[in-house]
Amino acid sequence: MGTIVDAVGTAVSAGTKQSAGEQGAGARIDDSPLTIGGVALRSRFMIGTARYPSPQVLAKAIEASGAEVVTMGLKRQLADGAASANDFFAMIRSLGVRVLPNTAGCRTAREAVTLAQMARELFETSWIKLEVIGDEYTLQPDTVELVEAASQLARDGFEVLPYCTDDLVACRRLLDAGCRVLMPWGAPIGSGQGLLNPWALRTLRARLPEVALVVDAGLGAPSHAAQAMELGYDAVLLNTAVAQARDPVAMARAFRLAIEAGRLGYLGGIIERQDMAVASTPVPGQPFTL
Amino acid sequence: MSESRGIGSGPAGLTQAGARPAGAGGAAPTIVFNGTSMPMPDPPTLCALLDAQGLGAARIATAVNGEFVPRTGRASKRLEDGDKVLTFEAIVGG
């Protein structure tokens, strides 16, 4: 499937960032890949693997999304030790994507660190989506435990991608702890509300211009993802918005296009908002009044 | 964002590390495996326990009393009376 940029006559290729305006209308817009932990990613869409109607739909949705990074989790086995019937990891690996394990369900730094260590062995990757939840209703991160866990894991050689709030100071603590990527929430997990605090997200982008920022959680519509990318965010991570859509495969494609469109919009240079009208047509006054 | 988020569906048990029920005098040593109490395996190692449960070659990760034990350390990890052993497997997640 061609990218949206192909459809409008421009192209996206690896290279230095340069706006179309600098090159002239209709010129190529070059966009460098998103690099995380030395890995260059062409797709700025990261997708979760939970809550799909079936493994088959999951596989098709991942393909439609174009995502190169998918999240997975770990769970404690049943008392009888029997393994789950579905070997999801094998299926995901067969798709040729990179797995980003998470520490979902952890409430303390100690739990998260232990789970991350198990994830590193199980999934054979040092990448970890660090989640340390502080409230059962909002599922928002416990910032204190999150920073502590990030610090320990970074020292242990993990590439830590923390699921965090949009608090600037908390984000700086995570960077000090060794994180090179931040994943602030758009809204509570699975809520589909979109970007609840665009001002805070915009502030993070402005104050942390060199940090890879990924909006994670709470998106519902493709327009939400486009909005995040238009703010200059480097990628989007979502799960429920696709998995629980009426047609997850179609929705995955919709999000893919929205993320590409938002990225192009950001690189193209969105006009400034004006409080009053600014005429587009350059007519000198009223046409029939001499 | 994983469906394992939320109460009751996460890696419960990791915070209970170190809690070892006191055994009665002379009672055979036991371990707790994924929440179920059972006799100490012979030899008393993590590797032997997993083999006895048919999980020796399974793609799982292990923790004893809340501490990660790598696969390479299972053969030498000696279990003590009351140890809590948990095994984890990969699942879908967000």
Side-chain angles (χ1 to χ4, degrees), chain B residues 52-75:
Chain B
Q53 298 298 318
L55 295 173
R59 180 178 282 276
I60 57 172
T62 53
V64 177
N65 299 328
E67 299 289 334
F68 168 60
V69 179
R71 179 178 290 272
T72 54
R74 292 175 186 172

Side-chain angles (χ1 to χ4, degrees), chain A residues 264-279:
Chain A
L264 259 188
Y266 170 71
L267 294 176
I270 300 170
I271 60 171
E272 293 290 327
R273 288 193 179 191
Q274 305 286 342
D275 288 333
M276 60 191 71
V278 178

Side-chain angles (χ1 to χ4, degrees), chain A residues 227-285:
Chain A
Q227 183 185 10
M229 299 305 292
E230 288 169 6
L231 288 176
Y233 274 66
D234 297 283
V236 163
L237 194 163
L238 56 94
N239 189 152
T240 302
V242 168
Q244 292 286 291
R246 189 171 58 246
D247 184 341
V249 178
M251 189 58 70
R253 184 166 183 267
F255 268 100
R256 176 180 181 168
L257 294 172
I259 290 166
E260 290 176 0
R263 180 65 180 173
L264 259 188
Y266 170 71
L267 294 176
I270 300 170
I271 60 171
E272 293 290 327
R273 288 193 179 191
Q274 305 286 342
D275 288 333
M276 60 191 71
V278 178
S280 303
T281 307
V283 295

Side-chain angles (χ1 to χ4, degrees), chain A residues 106-110 112-113 130-135 140-153 162-165 167 169-171 173-174 177 179:
Chain A
C106 292
R107 298 293 197 269
T108 67
R110 184 176 182 219
V113 168
L130 183 60
E131 301 178 26
V132 189
I133 301 304
D135 180 81
Q140 69 185 81
D142 180 322
T143 297
V144 174
E145 294 292 307
L146 184 69
V147 171
E148 174 58 31
S151 179
Q152 292 183 40
L153 292 173
Y163 161 62
C164 58
T165 65
D167 183 279
V169 175
C171 286
R173 293 286 181 267
L174 289 166
C179 297

Side-chain angles (χ1 to χ4, degrees), chain A:
Chain A
M1 181 183 76
T3 64
I4 191 171
V5 289
D6 294 331
V8 297
T10 57
V12 173
S13 60
T16 57
K17 294 181 186 179
Q18 190 174 20
S19 71
E22 294 174 348
Q23 303 176 74
R28 293 170 62 89
I29 297 179
D30 292 328
D31 187 14
S32 51
L34 168 62
T35 301
I36 295 178
V39 177
L41 301 172
R42 293 301 307 160
S43 171
R44 294 175 181 273
F45 187 359
M46 301 181 185
I47 195 166
T49 56
R51 307 188 73 187
Y52 286 81
S54 70
Q56 294 74 25
V57 172
L58 166 59
K60 289 181 180 177
I62 290 175
E63 183 183 4
S65 73
E68 297 169 278
V69 177
V70 303
T71 52
M72 293 191 73
L74 288 88
K75 75 165 184 179
R76 208 178 79 187
Q77 287 190 307
L78 301 174
D80 62 7
S84 298
N86 287 314
D87 189 351
F88 287 110
F89 185 41
M91 188 273 280
I92 295 296
R93 283 217 298 191
S94 72
L95 300 175
V97 295
R98 172 177 288 268
V99 172
L100 173 61
N102 67 33
T103 62
C106 292
R107 298 293 197 269
T108 67
R110 184 176 182 219
E111 285 186 340
V113 168
T114 302
L115 206 67
Q117 292 168 336
M118 289 193 280
R120 179 165 58 181
E121 179 179 88
L122 207 58
F123 293 103
E124 300 169 5
T125 177
S126 62
W127 288 24
I128 191 74
K129 178 185 170 183
L130 183 60
E131 301 178 26
V132 189
I133 301 304
D135 180 81
E136 65 206 46
Y137 183 72
T138 62
L139 297 182
Q140 69 185 81
D142 180 322
T143 297
V144 174
E145 294 292 307
L146 184 69
V147 171
E148 174 58 31
S151 179
Q152 292 183 40
L153 292 173
R155 284 198 304 270
D156 194 17
F158 283 84
E159 187 69 52
V160 181
L161 285 71
Y163 161 62
C164 58
T165 65
D166 49 26
D167 183 279
L168 173 61
V169 175
C171 286
R172 284 199 170 127
R173 293 286 181 267
L174 289 166
L175 296 173
D176 292 341
C179 297
R180 299 191 289 184
V181 181
L182 298 175
M183 302 208 296
W185 64 351
I189 296 163
S191 68
Q193 299 185 63
L195 307 188
L196 285 181
N197 195 344
W199 178 87
L201 293 175
R202 194 178 301 117
T203 301
L204 284 180
R205 180 72 286 173
R207 299 294 288 157
L208 305 172
E210 301 302 321
V211 179
L213 298 178
V214 179
V215 167
D216 174 26
L219 304 191
S223 56
H224 300 156
Q227 183 185 10
M229 299 305 292
E230 288 169 6
L231 288 176
Y233 274 66
D234 297 283
V236 163
L237 194 163
L238 56 94
N239 189 152
T240 302
V242 168
Q244 292 286 291
R246 189 171 58 246
D247 184 341
V249 178
M251 189 58 70
R253 184 166 183 267
F255 268 100
R256 176 180 181 168
L257 294 172
I259 290 166
E260 290 176 0
R263 180 65 180 173
L264 259 188
Y266 170 71
L267 294 176
I270 300 170
I271 60 171
E272 293 290 327
R273 288 193 179 191
Q274 305 286 342
D275 288 333
M276 60 191 71
V278 178
S280 303
T281 307
V283 295
Q286 296 172 270
F288 298 106
T289 301
L290 298 177

